[in-house]
Short mmCIF file of all heavy atoms in Angstrom, two decimals:
data_model
loop_
_atom_site.label_atom_id
_atom_site.label_comp_id
_atom_site.label_asym_id
_atom_site.label_seq_id
_atom_site.Cartn_x
_atom_site.Cartn_y
_atom_site.Cartn_z
N LEU A 242 -86.21 -38.99 -76.30
CA LEU A 242 -85.81 -38.36 -77.57
C LEU A 242 -86.39 -36.95 -77.80
O LEU A 242 -85.63 -36.05 -78.21
CB LEU A 242 -86.18 -39.27 -78.75
CG LEU A 242 -85.13 -40.33 -79.09
CD1 LEU A 242 -85.69 -41.34 -80.08
CD2 LEU A 242 -83.85 -39.69 -79.63
N ALA A 249 -80.85 -37.91 -80.23
CA ALA A 249 -81.33 -38.15 -81.59
C ALA A 249 -80.16 -38.17 -82.57
O ALA A 249 -80.06 -39.04 -83.44
CB ALA A 249 -82.36 -37.09 -81.99
N LEU A 252 -78.12 -41.48 -82.12
CA LEU A 252 -78.72 -42.66 -82.74
C LEU A 252 -78.66 -42.56 -84.26
O LEU A 252 -78.42 -43.56 -84.96
CB LEU A 252 -80.18 -42.82 -82.30
CG LEU A 252 -80.45 -43.11 -80.82
CD1 LEU A 252 -81.91 -43.48 -80.62
CD2 LEU A 252 -79.58 -44.22 -80.27
N ALA A 253 -78.89 -41.35 -84.77
CA ALA A 253 -78.88 -41.16 -86.22
C ALA A 253 -77.51 -41.53 -86.80
O ALA A 253 -77.41 -42.04 -87.91
CB ALA A 253 -79.23 -39.72 -86.57
N LEU A 258 -78.37 -50.38 -84.41
CA LEU A 258 -79.08 -50.36 -83.14
C LEU A 258 -79.79 -51.70 -83.02
O LEU A 258 -80.61 -52.03 -83.88
CB LEU A 258 -80.12 -49.23 -83.13
CG LEU A 258 -79.63 -47.84 -83.55
CD1 LEU A 258 -80.82 -46.87 -83.71
CD2 LEU A 258 -78.64 -47.30 -82.51
N HIS A 270 -90.58 -48.66 -81.88
CA HIS A 270 -89.88 -48.67 -83.17
C HIS A 270 -90.19 -47.38 -83.93
O HIS A 270 -89.30 -46.71 -84.45
CB HIS A 270 -90.41 -49.82 -84.05
CG HIS A 270 -89.68 -51.11 -83.92
ND1 HIS A 270 -88.41 -51.29 -84.41
CD2 HIS A 270 -90.04 -52.30 -83.39
CE1 HIS A 270 -88.03 -52.54 -84.19
NE2 HIS A 270 -88.99 -53.17 -83.56
N GLU A 271 -91.48 -47.07 -83.98
CA GLU A 271 -91.91 -45.93 -84.80
C GLU A 271 -91.44 -44.61 -84.23
O GLU A 271 -91.02 -43.71 -84.97
CB GLU A 271 -93.44 -45.96 -84.96
CG GLU A 271 -93.87 -47.06 -85.91
CD GLU A 271 -95.37 -47.27 -85.96
OE1 GLU A 271 -96.08 -46.70 -85.10
OE2 GLU A 271 -95.81 -48.01 -86.86
N ARG A 272 -91.50 -44.46 -82.92
CA ARG A 272 -91.06 -43.20 -82.32
C ARG A 272 -89.57 -42.98 -82.56
O ARG A 272 -89.12 -41.87 -82.87
CB ARG A 272 -91.35 -43.19 -80.81
CG ARG A 272 -92.83 -43.07 -80.50
CD ARG A 272 -93.06 -42.69 -79.07
NE ARG A 272 -92.61 -43.71 -78.12
CZ ARG A 272 -92.58 -43.52 -76.81
NH1 ARG A 272 -92.91 -42.35 -76.29
NH2 ARG A 272 -92.19 -44.49 -76.01
N ILE A 273 -88.78 -44.05 -82.42
CA ILE A 273 -87.34 -43.91 -82.64
C ILE A 273 -87.06 -43.63 -84.12
O ILE A 273 -86.26 -42.75 -84.47
CB ILE A 273 -86.59 -45.18 -82.15
CG1 ILE A 273 -86.71 -45.27 -80.62
CG2 ILE A 273 -85.12 -45.15 -82.59
CD1 ILE A 273 -86.20 -46.57 -80.03
N GLY A 274 -87.79 -44.32 -84.97
CA GLY A 274 -87.63 -44.10 -86.42
C GLY A 274 -87.95 -42.66 -86.79
O GLY A 274 -87.20 -42.01 -87.54
N ALA A 275 -89.05 -42.15 -86.24
CA ALA A 275 -89.47 -40.79 -86.60
C ALA A 275 -88.48 -39.74 -86.11
O ALA A 275 -88.20 -38.75 -86.80
CB ALA A 275 -90.86 -40.52 -86.02
N ALA A 276 -87.92 -39.96 -84.92
CA ALA A 276 -87.02 -38.93 -84.34
C ALA A 276 -85.60 -39.01 -84.88
O ALA A 276 -84.85 -38.03 -84.79
CB ALA A 276 -87.01 -39.07 -82.82
N THR A 277 -85.20 -40.17 -85.40
CA THR A 277 -83.78 -40.33 -85.76
C THR A 277 -83.58 -40.75 -87.22
O THR A 277 -82.44 -40.75 -87.70
CB THR A 277 -83.11 -41.42 -84.89
OG1 THR A 277 -83.66 -42.69 -85.24
CG2 THR A 277 -83.33 -41.17 -83.41
N GLY A 278 -84.65 -41.18 -87.86
CA GLY A 278 -84.49 -41.70 -89.21
C GLY A 278 -83.84 -43.07 -89.22
O GLY A 278 -83.46 -43.58 -90.28
N ARG A 279 -83.68 -43.66 -88.04
CA ARG A 279 -82.99 -44.95 -87.96
C ARG A 279 -83.94 -46.05 -87.53
O ARG A 279 -84.85 -45.84 -86.75
CB ARG A 279 -81.83 -44.87 -86.95
CG ARG A 279 -80.73 -43.93 -87.37
CD ARG A 279 -80.18 -44.27 -88.73
NE ARG A 279 -79.78 -45.67 -88.79
CZ ARG A 279 -78.60 -46.10 -88.36
NH1 ARG A 279 -77.70 -45.26 -87.90
NH2 ARG A 279 -78.31 -47.38 -88.41
N ARG A 280 -83.68 -47.24 -87.99
CA ARG A 280 -84.47 -48.41 -87.61
C ARG A 280 -83.72 -49.19 -86.53
O ARG A 280 -82.49 -49.20 -86.52
CB ARG A 280 -84.67 -49.28 -88.84
CG ARG A 280 -83.33 -49.65 -89.39
CD ARG A 280 -83.29 -50.18 -90.77
NE ARG A 280 -82.04 -50.94 -90.86
CZ ARG A 280 -81.88 -52.05 -91.55
NH1 ARG A 280 -82.87 -52.52 -92.26
NH2 ARG A 280 -80.74 -52.69 -91.54
N VAL A 281 -84.48 -49.81 -85.67
CA VAL A 281 -83.86 -50.71 -84.69
C VAL A 281 -84.00 -52.13 -85.24
O VAL A 281 -85.07 -52.53 -85.69
CB VAL A 281 -84.56 -50.59 -83.32
CG1 VAL A 281 -83.95 -51.57 -82.32
CG2 VAL A 281 -84.47 -49.16 -82.79
#
Side-chain angles (χ1 to χ4, degrees):
L242 275 169
L252 295 190
L258 310 171
H270 268 289
E271 286 172 349
R272 289 196 295 172
I273 293 171
T277 68
R279 294 305 307 277
R280 57 196 203 144
V281 178

